[in-house]
Amino acid sequence: MKTALVTGAWGFVGRHMTHALRERGWDVATCDLANPEHPVDALDVFAHADRVFDLVVHAAALAPHRAAIDRRPANMAYNLQLDAAMFDWALRSGQRRVLYLSSSAVYPIGFQDGAEPWALHETNTDSAHGIMPDAGYGWTKLTGEKMAAAAVEDGIGLAVHVVRPFSGYGEDQGEDWPFGAFIGRARRREDPFQIWGDGSQVRDWIHISDVVAGALAVVDADVREPVNLCTGRGVSMHDLARMICRETGYDPFLEFLVHAPTGVAYRVGDPDRLHGIYRPRVTLEEGVARAVRAAVTA
């Protein structure tokens, strides 16, 4: 039986990744301080564990949502510590394969100002000038990718797969993220319906099942270069809110909180590299319908 360790297993991506691996028949160990029944700090695992896994999925990160990215810069230090400790442990303990959950936040914000719709390609981080990722979180993930490259260079037989999820969403996403917040507001039939920013911010929404399946397809195909987990389709916050409200069956007044954290204007990925190994299967319309149905029955 194949074995895996999933860090951050209590988080949105981590718990779906854990479920998917177990569905495949893997023996999965997990760690997460947020687990109320069995809190385990990933840093403790990296300091003491010597078990070798077939796959280490590193999804642990402290509060990777917009409010924290903009308002809690100190999280950067902890997330860097997590990544450094993980790669050090992977080399020291002889791990075979690591799946590193990076982020679309690594891309230069100059490509995302909305002046020109730009499909972000994996090579857009390679420029020698003008690299300015999205806030401290983007710098953290870009540094994590550099750590991954160094670990591969220093290690003997260590494979590292880097994936860059765009705006992942799903039925059980928390309200710290826009999609989860919109579903919660619709479930409560809030009127006015609040949207951070002016609603024009465009994102590439990809269902969590496709995030997980795409990431595991990267591992299965043994792709050793970064891969976007995206759809290539951009939908604004305003249009997403309207889509969710229509599916819920009400028509609230939309209130735009222009002074709230908003992030970049336009973030859409180029899915060509992903399409070589996997194509997302859940459309945004179907994902919205699933989430609304789940909210009604909750």
Side-chain angles (χ1 to χ4, degrees):
M1 179 182 291
K2 292 183 178 180
T3 60
L5 170 68
V6 178
T7 72
W10 203 252
F12 182 52
V13 175
R15 63 178 177 266
H16 283 272
M17 185 66 71
T18 299
H19 177 76
L21 287 169
R22 286 175 174 162
E23 284 284 298
R24 290 183 171 205
W26 289 54
D27 175 19
V28 183
T30 64
C31 62
D32 198 321
L33 270 174
N35 184 339
E37 297 178 357
H38 187 51
V40 178
D41 191 338
L43 291 175
D44 288 339
V45 173
F46 301 149
H48 304 295
D50 56 7
R51 180 181 176 185
V52 176
F53 298 90
D54 293 303
L55 177 66
V56 176
V57 180
H58 187 48
L62 184 60
H65 52 77
R66 188 75 252 169
I69 289 171
D70 285 359
R71 294 173 173 171
R72 302 179 209 164
N75 288 357
M76 181 179 178
Y78 181 78
N79 288 331
L80 283 171
Q81 182 184 13
L82 267 178
D83 289 355
M86 187 278 295
F87 283 116
D88 179 68
W89 167 76
L91 291 172
R92 189 177 67 250
S93 60
Q95 299 302 317
R96 302 184 179 99
R97 195 173 294 273
V98 170
L99 173 59
Y100 179 70
L101 273 295
S102 184
S103 170
S104 57
V106 301
Y107 288 111
I109 57 176
F111 293 151
Q112 304 173 70
D113 61 6
E116 178 184 354
W118 188 291
L120 295 161
H121 188 269
E122 288 85 353
T123 57
N124 288 147
T125 62
D126 296 342
S127 173
H129 304 286
I131 297 298
M132 185 61 68
D134 188 358
Y137 185 69
W139 278 115
T140 300
K141 287 301 183 180
L142 192 59
T143 304
E145 292 191 16
K146 299 296 184 184
M147 292 182 196
V152 170
E153 186 175 340
D154 291 346
I156 299 175
L158 176 65
V160 179
H161 310 283
V162 174
V163 292
R164 297 171 179 164
F166 278 66
S167 294
Y169 71 94
E171 297 88 307
D172 61 337
Q173 189 171 41
E175 294 194 28
D176 284 328
W177 286 264
F179 186 92
F182 285 4
I183 292 294
R185 288 166 196 159
R187 177 176 56 82
R188 295 185 292 270
R189 291 183 172 263
E190 293 183 6
D191 193 352
F193 186 109
Q194 293 184 338
I195 299 175
W196 288 13
D198 64 7
S200 66
Q201 313 96 287
V202 171
R203 295 293 181 269
D204 190 327
W205 307 94
I206 177 168
H207 193 268
I208 185 61
S209 63
D210 287 318
V211 170
V212 170
L216 292 178
V218 169
V219 174
D220 291 342
D222 197 26
V223 177
R224 306 288 181 96
E225 56 188 354
V227 178
N228 288 336
L229 300 179
C230 65
T231 68
R233 175 190 178 191
V235 175
S236 71
M237 297 289 181
H238 172 274
D239 289 348
L240 175 63
R242 283 297 184 202
M243 191 184 300
I244 289 171
C245 291
R246 282 196 302 271
E247 187 68 30
T248 307
Y250 85 124
D251 185 24
F253 173 77
L254 299 184
E255 179 183 10
F256 300 101
L257 306 183
V258 295
H259 298 298
T262 59
V264 296
Y266 188 94
R267 178 173 292 163
V268 176
D270 182 336
D272 282 353
R273 188 174 288 178
L274 175 64
H275 284 175
I277 53 175
Y278 179 84
R279 287 184 177 268
R281 295 165 185 166
V282 181
T283 66
L284 182 56
E285 288 77 8
E286 173 60 22
V288 165
R290 291 186 191 183
V292 169
R293 287 196 300 269
V296 169
T297 58

